[in-house]
Amino acid sequence: MVVLTLALFVTLLSSLLGCSGNTNSTEMKLWSLEDQPMAVQLAAVYKEMESLRCEQTTLQQQQSALTQTHMTRDQRGGQQKVARTNILTYGPNDEEEEEEEEEDSLDSSEGDSRRRGDPCFHYTILDQDWRATNTTTKSKMCDRNVKWKGWYRLYYRGKSLQMPERCVPVDKCGTHAPLWLAGPHPKRRDGIVTRKVCGHWKKKCCAFQSTPIKVKKCQGNYYVYKFTPPSACYLAYCAVSSRKIHFFVSYPGQLKGKVNRIRYSKVLVNVGRGFNKRTGVFRAPVKGVYQFFFSTQTANTGLKTDLWLVINGYWVAVSHTHVSRPSSVGSLSTYMTFLRRGALVYVTHNCGHSWANAASTTITFGGSLLAQFR
């Protein structure tokens, strides 16, 4: 009876204290005393209870200490707030993403300290339509008259933009001499950099070398600028508006055999001026995702006709026709890809016979920018 009562007591003790890791050793120690007097057994039980209570108190203190390290007190509001914890995954080859996640994984106090001095979290939004590179206004603006203070982020109709890195035509951006960034934008790992600023005037892209400005790339793929008053009037900082790129061209004649590069002479659409009528080549004006299409038409029985889309020297897609009986067969192919600025795209006639005339659009080539990347 004593042994049964003791066993129940040990089981209850282990379940109450939740010390599953020590249960076996406790039971072995106590059961080894089963032949001892009752007083000795109870003394051993009380001693083990006291030991477990000490362990539980220690664990509670450790847990409390860990909790305190994840709590910060708002000095101004006097209220406690729990530090944010992020669990993030990323691709091993994406350097920019790795940088972002390293920042996000910082301890809250360290992150808050860095943010206090980070212009990516302390800037003024500059959302003025007249600053866009595609706008012209009668009244000319001058940024020399602006009291610049701190950092700024460029917007255009609610969309985040950046300064142009190329010469901007005169009388754009709401001023006489538009200011553009004479150098590439930095990467996030570069931190804050200093860049020269040029103003276009009288066919000279850098007729005005204005005061240098500071630039930083922020998490989220946007930039902030520390503008300074330009050297003269009328000069103003520009914001690049979204590029629209579309082209559609055709060849109004016949093609036989191998033609290394089709020179499409009939240009129907060329928004963004990416297609060169003289060479028949499309050059990507900006980095982004593009979609292309190209077609052919043939009527020669038993003859196959192939047109290939060529990107930077690589044959990537084919428009194929094969006429098995007397008839006219057309073929249209599409291809979507990511291109860097300056990539070259054209169509080659590899074999067969394609036909068209001045009134038809059967031998065609076209494309559009779907999404622009900076």
Side-chain angles (χ1 to χ4, degrees):
M1 181 69 178
V2 171
V3 173
L4 178 61
T5 303
L6 182 60
L8 292 174
F9 188 69
V10 170
T11 304
L12 178 62
L13 175 64
S14 300
S15 63
L16 286 174
L17 294 179
C19 300
S20 57
N22 296 330
T23 301
N24 292 336
S25 60
T26 300
E27 290 180 352
M28 290 179 63
K29 191 182 297 183
L30 292 176
W31 284 118
S32 66
L33 298 172
E34 62 181 9
D35 295 332
Q36 300 297 323
M38 182 64 179
V40 175
Q41 296 183 30
L42 288 176
V45 169
Y46 291 140
K47 183 177 179 181
E48 197 65 37
M49 286 177 60
E50 188 64 29
S51 175
L52 292 172
R53 283 198 188 98
C54 290
E55 290 182 10
Q56 186 180 36
T57 301
T58 302
L59 289 173
Q60 289 175 344
Q61 291 174 348
Q62 292 176 349
Q63 183 178 7
S64 177
L66 289 172
T67 302
Q68 291 298 323
T69 60
H70 290 283
M71 302 288 289
T72 58
R73 181 171 296 276
D74 190 340
Q75 299 296 335
R76 290 175 290 182
Q79 296 179 346
Q80 286 186 338
K81 58 182 180 180
V82 181
R84 183 185 65 179
T85 301
N86 290 335
I87 300 176
L88 301 168
T89 59
Y90 56 93
N93 296 325
D94 194 335
E95 186 175 357
E96 291 293 324
E97 291 295 329
E98 286 187 29
E99 291 180 353
E100 293 180 7
E101 279 128 17
E102 286 175 3
E103 281 196 8
D104 284 346
S105 62
L106 291 174
D107 181 77
S108 176
S109 58
E110 184 181 352
D112 290 344
S113 176
R114 289 184 60 176
R115 288 184 179 186
R116 279 195 291 270
D118 191 343
C120 291
F121 298 93
H122 304 280
Y123 57 80
T124 301
I125 290 178
L126 204 60
D127 192 350
Q128 297 167 313
D129 288 358
W130 57 265
R131 291 190 183 275
T133 53
N134 61 351
T135 60
T136 303
T137 58
K138 293 182 179 179
S139 57
K140 303 302 179 183
M141 310 300 292
C142 182
D143 279 342
R144 187 174 177 81
N145 301 325
V146 178
K147 294 181 179 180
W148 300 105
K149 184 178 180 181
W151 292 78
Y152 294 83
R153 181 177 175 183
L154 292 170
Y155 268 75
Y156 176 69
R157 297 181 180 178
K159 294 183 179 180
S160 181
L161 300 180
Q162 67 182 63
M163 285 188 67
E165 297 177 2
R166 292 184 176 184
C167 188
V168 180
V170 173
D171 292 329
K172 295 292 185 180
C173 305
T175 190
H176 282 310
L179 292 175
W180 55 281
L181 204 64
H185 279 78
K187 296 182 179 180
R188 287 193 57 232
R189 62 172 174 265
D190 297 331
I192 298 174
V193 301
T194 301
R195 290 288 185 264
K196 295 181 179 179
V197 177
C198 285
H200 182 197
W201 188 245
K202 292 183 178 180
K203 297 182 179 181
K204 292 183 179 180
C205 285
C206 207
F208 293 96
Q209 295 188 17
S210 189
T211 309
I213 63 173
K214 295 185 182 298
V215 188
K216 183 179 182 181
K217 184 175 184 179
C218 301
Q219 180 180 342
N221 196 28
Y222 66 91
Y223 299 93
V224 290
Y225 305 87
K226 194 170 186 180
F227 292 129
T228 58
S231 57
C233 279
Y234 288 85
L235 284 74
Y237 295 104
C238 285
V240 179
S241 57
S242 299
R243 295 289 298 271
K244 294 181 180 180
I245 300 169
H246 311 280
F247 75 99
F248 177 53
V249 296
S250 71
Y251 185 87
Q254 296 190 29
L255 296 171
K256 294 182 179 181
K258 188 172 183 63
V259 179
N260 290 330
R261 186 171 64 247
I262 302 175
R263 289 179 171 82
Y264 297 88
S265 57
K266 192 174 182 179
V267 180
L268 304 172
V269 177
N270 195 16
V271 177
R273 299 182 179 181
F275 182 78
N276 188 320
K277 177 181 176 179
R278 183 178 58 83
T279 62
V281 176
F282 171 80
R283 180 187 292 270
V286 296
K287 180 170 65 173
V289 176
Y290 291 80
Q291 185 170 28
F292 299 97
F293 63 88
F294 56 107
S295 67
T296 181
Q297 186 86 10
T298 187
N300 285 37
T301 305
L303 188 66
K304 72 171 185 177
T305 302
D306 288 346
L307 269 68
W308 280 88
L309 183 70
V310 183
I311 299 179
N312 291 332
Y314 292 92
W315 295 22
V316 296
V318 63
S319 177
H320 172 77
T321 60
H322 187 197
V323 182
S324 59
R325 60 182 184 273
S327 63
S328 178
V329 178
S331 176
L332 174 68
S333 295
T334 62
Y335 187 76
M336 184 187 298
T337 186
F338 170 83
L339 296 180
R340 297 190 179 276
R341 185 174 64 185
L344 303 179
V345 186
Y346 61 89
V347 178
T348 181
H349 191 274
N350 188 46
C351 62
H353 180 197
S354 297
W355 67 267
N357 56 40
S360 67
T361 51
T362 54
I363 305 175
T364 63
F365 177 36
S368 296
L369 171 67
L370 300 182
Q372 179 180 349
F373 296 153
R374 297 187 177 91

